[in-house]
Amino acid sequence: MERVKQAFERAALQSQNVLEQVRFLLYELTAFCSDNPFAYKCLLETIPVDEKSRIENSWVEQIYQVGEALMKLCVEFMEQGVAQGVFKENLQAQPTALIFQFHIFSVVLVANNKKEYIENTMMSKEKFVKYAMEQLMHSILKDGVEFSL
């Protein structure tokens, strides 16, 4: 989780342009999934979020805090995209941030886990990830804003 949080932080530092940040983040997450598929899969697992569980289990609290920091970064990313005139003005930052996180995490994981199937029936793993991310981005971009990986 910490490595993913750092990827989001580095993406924000790489460029002020939110679309460039998406490109960088996708590269970082794809590399992390390839390097550590088990750790990457844990991003999509459920942890108890009630206060009692977080107090009783320090590891749950650590994961929860990193997740909250990641969510905050992603909400800021959404707000920045709206402010830059890149994302739709009526975009709700918090739910969109969560949708964005789980979409990108899931696409990278599926592409990694189903690489052979994807490459035998559709396209390269890289093209699949690119296509999936472009579909997500087009759902939140303002009309007339172009995005491609």
Side-chain angles (χ1 to χ4, degrees), residues 30-82:
T30 302
F32 176 50
C33 186
S34 293
D35 295 345
N36 302 291
F38 179 76
Y40 188 90
K41 184 180 176 207
C42 291
L43 293 171
L44 298 171
E45 294 298 323
T46 303
I47 65 162
V49 295
D50 63 282
E51 193 171 342
K52 182 178 182 244
S53 295
R54 292 182 5 234
I55 290 170
E56 292 174 352
N57 300 298
S58 63
W59 62 271
V60 170
E61 178 63 17
Q62 290 171 353
I63 293 169
Y64 180 83
Q65 290 304 323
V66 170
E68 287 298 295
L70 186 59
M71 183 65 173
K72 182 177 184 251
L73 288 167
C74 208
V75 167
E76 290 170 1
F77 169 77
M78 294 300 152
E79 291 170 344
Q80 180 183 3
V82 171

